[in-house]
Amino acid sequence: MGSPILHESIANLELPDLITGHIAGLPVLPKTPAISLPVRYPGSGETIASLQEDDATQVATAVAAAKARFESGEWSQSTIEERQRVLRATAQAIRTHANDLALRESICAGLPFAHLAARQIPRAADNFDFFADYIGVLAGETFDQLQEYRTVITRHPVGVAALFAPWNACLALSSMHVASCIAFGNSCVLKPSEFSPLAVLQLVHLLESAGLPSGVVNIVNGRGAVTGAALAQAEGIDRIAFTGRGDTARNVMSAAAERLTPVHFELEGNSANIIFDDADIDRAIDGALVSAFGNSGQICIAGSRILVQTQIAERFIERFVARTETLRVGDPLDSTTEVGPMGFAEHQQHVLNFFTLAENTGANLLTGGRAMPELGSGYFVAPTVFKVLDNHSPLCQEEIFGPVVTIQVFEDDEEAWAIANDSRFGLVGYCWTESLHRAQVFQQKVQAGTLWLNTPIARDLRAPFGGFKASGIGRDGPRHAADFFTEEKATIAALGKPAIMKIGMGQ
């Protein structure tokens, strides 16, 4: 191994040579012949394990196991108190094993260990606690307005969900889908990214140790074109929740349309971060750095299009670039690292390709714009800032998904709103201003599902989260999860013996 820290960490984890799926409480048996995929540590490019790819046969087995468990009623008809107990025990187990989970995620995805341990792993635990609380207060509805009748609305679990989790926050995002799915009594088949399978697999072990019946949550592994396609097309799937790229989502939606399966998508973004001339510039710089380079820039909610007003542009750009150049890039297992490597080699090349596009479209490179071979054979990209002349640059119109920022200068408020909305995406938006009027207009005019005002990323789990336009379909959130993962049933009962129209009485 190239890194002493990595060598010690992997030794402590006791990783299997072959990582397999998990169906009905048991690991999927190794197949012969089988397709195995390398799982590499992005900090050095070293292979740390192999992943067995599941085909349509294993996917069908997983769906059947989830269906059988659902129909048994052991979980789907369990009491709210029992589901709460399991969800809360899982949350506690995640906190107890936080360092282990963060390490498993870090060595697969290359995300800084310190960031995972401080933010993403605690969020995963919070997701289970949150839905344990929510199902305890979720109420049905009763309508008595129809004279002589009472209408009662009840919710029922839908069945089996197919859940797709991306590599950039695999545990955090899969935990949201799993917690909201099983809280209402459903079963599921989860396909994590083939690049980051370890922490999610450990999460399922923790769930079952907390008392979740085997078969409620199952895991299949592999590439999207193989395992993912088989899962999206599988008979017996009642809901599909997918987080990832838009082109893949279109394929999933096409497969779902064959069976009219409802879908929930959280997709891409390239979000505007508007800095007005009356902003607290120190806070705006701090917030812009966090929103752009947090998670090594590999985050759909990155504020990667910075729009700064003319009056403060020179001062902001100078200070922002200087701070960008001090970001600590390196081994994600080092506690001081702020920006880690890209998740895998192909994604590093995807990010680097934008630098060629930038040169060809007249963007002005202010810092970065290169790989970092001096850090070894890992998939590192230098934190990068471009100044662009207009929003038509591909750097502004596509999701780069790396530590890359564009800066545009605007004159007045209307120009800022127009640039912010000049995008096929609409996931989030940021704004920095001390003006109440501007803040209110920002809320009204910017076309995005979540808006952050004078703050970088913050999440209230009670609020809906999702995107406008090509950034998604549906919302995460308690009420929205209840609507997606349950079916509503209306039962209309007579009170007493209201009159019934008589027919078939002859002459």
Side-chain angles (χ1 to χ4, degrees):
M1 298 289 182
S3 165
I5 300 175
L6 176 59
H7 184 276
E8 179 183 349
S9 300
I10 289 182
N12 292 337
L13 284 178
E14 299 180 351
L15 297 179
D17 293 330
L18 181 67
I19 302 167
T20 66
H22 186 85
I23 299 175
L26 298 172
V28 175
L29 295 175
K31 300 181 295 180
T32 304
I35 295 176
S36 62
L37 310 172
V39 178
R40 293 191 171 94
Y41 175 54
S44 65
E46 302 165 79
T47 298
I48 58 175
S50 293
L51 182 74
Q52 178 171 279
E53 183 166 66
D54 294 313
D55 59 20
T57 300
Q58 283 75 47
V59 168
T61 301
V63 174
K67 197 73 163 180
R69 178 55 71 197
F70 178 79
E71 292 177 348
S72 76
E74 184 177 356
W75 182 253
S76 59
Q77 297 176 29
S78 61
T79 65
I80 294 297
E81 290 80 5
E82 173 60 13
R83 289 186 222 159
Q84 288 178 311
R85 186 194 66 78
V86 171
L87 293 171
R88 288 178 175 139
T90 300
Q92 184 54 51
I94 291 171
R95 296 185 181 101
T96 300
H97 296 87
N99 282 351
D100 175 80
L101 291 166
L103 183 57
R104 289 172 186 270
E105 193 89 324
S106 182
I107 64 174
C108 289
L111 303 175
F113 172 85
H115 169 76
L116 289 165
R119 295 186 64 85
Q120 289 196 17
I121 306 304
R123 175 187 162 183
D126 291 345
N127 290 337
F128 285 96
D129 269 339
F130 180 83
F131 278 97
D133 291 341
Y134 182 68
I135 60 175
V137 298
L138 180 64
E141 292 180 290
T142 301
F143 299 101
D144 290 318
Q145 289 90 337
L146 186 62
Q147 189 174 3
E148 298 186 283
Y149 296 91
R150 173 165 292 158
T151 301
V152 177
I153 312 299
T154 54
R155 290 184 180 270
H156 304 266
V158 298
V160 177
L163 310 178
F164 296 79
W167 53 267
N168 66 303
C170 202
L171 183 67
L173 295 177
S174 63
S175 68
M176 171 59 81
H177 284 321
V178 170
S180 57
C181 173
I182 68 174
F184 299 105
N186 300 291
S187 298
C188 64
V189 179
L190 170 63
K191 194 203 90 65
S193 167
E194 66 271 28
F195 297 107
S196 52
L198 282 174
V200 172
L201 182 60
Q202 186 66 8
L203 171 64
V204 176
H205 293 318
L206 295 178
L207 276 160
E208 292 179 351
S209 297
L212 185 73
S214 60
V216 174
V217 179
N218 306 272
I219 289 183
V220 292
N221 290 310
R223 293 165 291 181
V226 178
T227 313
L231 181 57
Q233 297 166 6
E235 186 174 356
I237 293 296
D238 302 293
R239 294 289 188 273
I240 297 176
F242 172 88
T243 303
R245 293 185 56 83
D247 51 359
T248 307
R250 292 180 180 88
N251 294 332
V252 172
M253 178 175 270
S254 178
E258 293 292 324
R259 293 189 172 86
L260 298 179
T261 305
V263 299
H264 168 90
F265 291 157
E266 183 188 325
L267 305 176
E268 299 163 90
N270 190 345
S271 300
N273 185 2
I274 307 169
I275 319 292
F276 282 107
D277 58 6
D278 64 346
D280 181 328
I281 195 167
D282 292 325
R283 285 182 54 81
I285 290 171
D286 289 340
L289 287 163
V290 169
S291 67
F293 299 118
N295 219 56
S296 304
Q298 299 171 126
I299 187 168
C300 56
I301 56 177
S304 44
R305 285 191 298 139
I306 297 178
L307 316 181
V308 58
Q309 199 159 19
T310 302
Q311 293 89 328
I312 60 168
E314 183 176 351
R315 182 159 52 108
F316 177 91
I317 292 171
E318 180 181 357
R319 292 178 59 186
F320 182 83
V321 170
R323 288 279 296 278
T324 299
E325 292 174 341
T326 68
L327 289 169
R328 294 187 290 270
V329 184
D331 186 342
L333 298 179
D334 186 329
S335 61
T336 65
T337 293
E338 295 172 321
V339 177
M342 301 298 92
F344 48 98
E346 294 84 356
H347 184 60
Q348 180 197 34
Q349 189 57 54
H350 165 81
V351 175
L352 295 176
N353 288 342
F354 277 95
F355 300 159
T356 302
L357 284 174
E359 292 176 4
N360 295 337
T361 54
N364 181 21
L365 178 64
L366 302 182
T367 189
R370 64 183 185 88
M372 302 183 74
E374 67 271 23
L375 295 179
S377 55
Y379 313 133
F380 294 96
V381 173
T384 299
V385 182
F386 286 101
K387 186 178 180 184
V388 297
L389 296 177
D390 61 57
N391 201 54
H392 297 128
S393 167
L395 281 76
C396 301
Q397 293 297 323
E398 301 298 327
E399 183 182 61
I400 302 174
F401 217 65
V404 181
V405 167
T406 61
I407 297 180
Q408 300 176 65
V409 177
F410 67 89
E411 292 290 338
D412 57 32
D413 296 26
E414 290 305 317
E415 184 182 9
W417 312 134
I419 295 172
N421 290 331
D422 180 23
S423 173
R424 62 192 175 95
F425 304 123
L427 191 55
V428 305
Y430 301 81
C431 179
W432 300 83
T433 180
E434 296 297 300
S435 164
L436 176 60
H437 172 71
R438 278 174 168 163
Q440 291 173 329
V441 176
F442 166 66
Q443 181 184 18
Q444 293 298 316
K445 287 206 171 185
V446 172
Q447 300 162 2
T450 298
L451 302 178
W452 282 300
L453 177 63
N454 292 330
T455 182
I457 300 161
R459 177 75 191 277
D460 187 330
L461 292 176
R462 290 167 288 267
F465 179 83
F468 287 21
K469 300 186 275 190
S471 286
I473 296 174
R475 296 290 186 270
D476 282 330
R479 176 172 57 83
H480 307 81
D483 289 341
F484 187 70
F485 286 117
T486 67
E487 293 281 14
E488 285 188 303
K489 183 183 294 183
T491 302
I492 303 169
L495 300 177
K497 295 183 178 181
I500 300 175
M501 182 176 65
K502 295 183 181 296
I503 61 174
M505 302 293 290
Q507 295 300 322

